[in-house]
Amino acid sequence: MTPPSPMTDGTVPAGSTERWRDRKRHLWLIGLVVPSLAFIAVGMWSLTGWGAWFWIGPVVILVIVPAIDLLAGLDRSNPPDDVIEALERDRYYRWITYLFLPIQYAGFVGAMYLLAHGGLGTVDQVGIAVSIGCIGGIGINTAHELGHKKESHERWLSKIALAQSFYGHFYIEHNRGHHVRVATPEDPASARLGESFYEFWPRTVGGSLRSAWQLEKRRIARRRQHPWRLSNDVLNAWLMSAVLWGALIVWLGPGITPYLVIQAVVGLSLLEVVNYMEHYGMLRQRVGVGERERYERVDPSHSWNSNNIATNVLLYHLQRHSDHHANPTRRYQSLRDFEESPVLPTGYAGMIVLAAVPPVWRRVMDPRVLAHVDGDLTRVNVSPRKRADVLERYGAPSSLEPVETIDDGRTVVSTSSTEGQTDEALAWGCPGCGYVYEVVAGDEREGFAAGTAWSQIPETWCCPDCGVRDKVDFVAVERATAS
């Protein structure tokens, strides 16, 4: 068959296709310093006897990396389109992400052993737990990179990376929830203008958990099965965490339990503070009329970006978030910068410090949101609790009202009347990532038995690989010559 080509349009500087090379090729190895912080802390404590070394995690992430971002400057270089395919195939880059996991878990287990048998004081023990949590939080970002890939082994590695923080449901909610509903009021992981991180945290943690469960429950229901089964990706991810934590508690004693909880909360909070800044105030508009009404497709204007090189190397180009949302299956080394993307004043690491102080955050970010939308607050995702304050402060139109939603945040679109779609086709392809649904084969994992016609696929279904394109976006493709 001939699947549709993935999106390739970007902002490639003139002349960059000539003898291009990845200037950050060896810098990506610096990302492995983060999981190594546990060994550095223990080693320096052994040499100096200073317990302050156990707090190395937050010091590196919140002090050293932001300082390097300010000193090292920006990197806006883009890989040209004609090298992206070869760049994606280069296994050097994926092995860097694979190596993160054994180092992460060696440090995690070693730290738990030290907590149980090191005879340390409470302050030092909390320091170890916080630093391990910081490593686990960056580990969630590694899981994010791996979880978007089509290879099954990388998706399982993603779950393993998440097990330390007991946040395995992120694998489901992020890929199939956040990427579908991003920059809408329905998305628990998209922060609203006027919402502090401390208000956002419980909303996103609870909302993401509920969303992940509902997504898996709905997928399994299409197979006419009960959700309480090991094939439920929420349950099997939690089971991995339960086995890991349980084995450590049995081995080292229940005294490590509070520190397991501390490191998990720190890790998931580090993830969520990044979520908080990535789409702060961004709002996709409704387009279409009547039953064809839907949210506009995600574009580069819906994500905050940064080209500060230190944090980009540390987080595998996560700061090139616009391209990630346009092409979720694209590997980190190939992500590009867009001219039209809104830009943060510094890297994500420095912005975490600002997010911790809500008045400072709003002073810095709210004017930037308004400038990005030319002062039109109907194009801003505003916190309902702060709506009156925003109206008074910025003189927004009185028509600013909450957006109505349909179903689970996705608008129901009728494909039977959509131009370019016919029920006669036997294969349908996602124009974004190349996923192909064949009627003959079906998709058992998605709950569609072999022979399930395209017309029987729910109208709210979206591409299971990229989460960007809805059913209405799919196009008919040629079938393989041999069925």
Side-chain angles (χ1 to χ4, degrees), residues 134-180:
C134 290
I135 295 170
I138 304 299
I140 295 177
N141 179 66
T142 305
H144 167 262
E145 170 66 22
L146 294 168
H148 274 295
K149 303 304 171 280
K150 298 180 181 182
E151 290 81 355
S152 61
H153 70 277
E154 291 189 279
R155 294 184 174 185
W156 275 103
L157 286 174
S158 174
K159 294 181 183 179
I160 291 172
L162 291 165
Q164 173 184 325
S165 300
F166 224 115
Y167 219 55
H169 58 278
F170 169 82
Y171 167 81
I172 293 296
E173 160 53 22
H174 179 82
N175 291 22
R176 301 177 62 189
H178 172 64
H179 271 262
V180 174

Side-chain angles (χ1 to χ4, degrees), residues 244-452:
L244 173 64
W245 283 29
L248 288 172
I249 291 170
V250 169
W251 175 38
L252 300 172
I256 67 167
T257 304
Y259 303 105
L260 285 171
V261 174
I262 289 172
Q263 65 85 27
V265 171
V266 170
L268 69 90
S269 297
L270 193 58
L271 161 73
E272 296 300 357
V273 74
V274 171
N275 275 339
Y276 173 73
M277 66 185 66
E278 285 173 338
H279 307 282
Y280 180 76
M282 300 292 99
L283 179 65
R284 287 154 61 196
Q285 300 296 298
R286 293 267 192 186
V287 296
V289 178
E291 65 179 9
R292 293 193 182 190
E293 185 184 25
R294 59 187 294 184
Y295 282 115
E296 65 180 321
R297 189 167 297 127
V298 180
D299 65 39
S301 70
H302 297 129
S303 303
W304 289 98
N305 287 247
S306 172
N307 281 304
N308 289 87
I309 191 168
T311 309
N312 258 334
V313 169
L314 186 72
L315 297 180
Y316 303 120
H317 260 165
L318 182 66
Q319 296 179 138
R320 292 190 170 182
H321 211 59
S322 291
D323 197 13
H324 168 66
H325 270 276
N327 302 282
T329 59
R330 178 166 287 169
R331 294 185 182 274
Y332 68 93
Q333 67 270 22
S334 303
L335 293 176
R336 303 152 301 169
D337 172 55
F338 288 88
E339 292 282 357
E340 58 268 42
S341 300
V343 179
L344 294 169
T346 188
Y348 282 7
M351 296 304 294
I352 292 173
V353 179
L354 295 186
V357 188
V360 177
W361 171 268
R362 292 200 63 188
R363 182 180 292 272
V364 171
M365 288 302 299
D366 287 10
R368 282 176 165 78
V369 174
L370 267 293
H372 176 59
V373 298
D374 299 321
D376 182 4
L377 274 175
T378 63
R379 296 166 54 195
V380 176
N381 186 6
V382 180
S383 170
R385 295 179 57 189
K386 300 296 176 63
R387 190 171 298 273
D389 175 61
V390 168
L391 290 171
E392 180 179 355
R393 178 178 302 187
Y394 298 110
S398 59
S399 60
L400 186 62
E401 297 293 342
V403 179
E404 294 181 2
T405 64
I406 299 177
D407 193 33
D408 63 347
R410 296 194 295 270
T411 305
V412 176
V413 181
S414 173
T415 60
S416 60
S417 60
T418 302
E419 183 178 355
Q421 292 204 348
T422 60
D423 290 340
E424 288 76 13
L426 296 179
W428 297 85
C430 172
C433 70
Y435 167 87
V436 174
Y437 174 81
E438 287 193 86
V439 171
V440 172
D443 190 328
E444 187 63 31
R445 175 172 177 75
E446 287 294 299
F448 307 133
T452 301

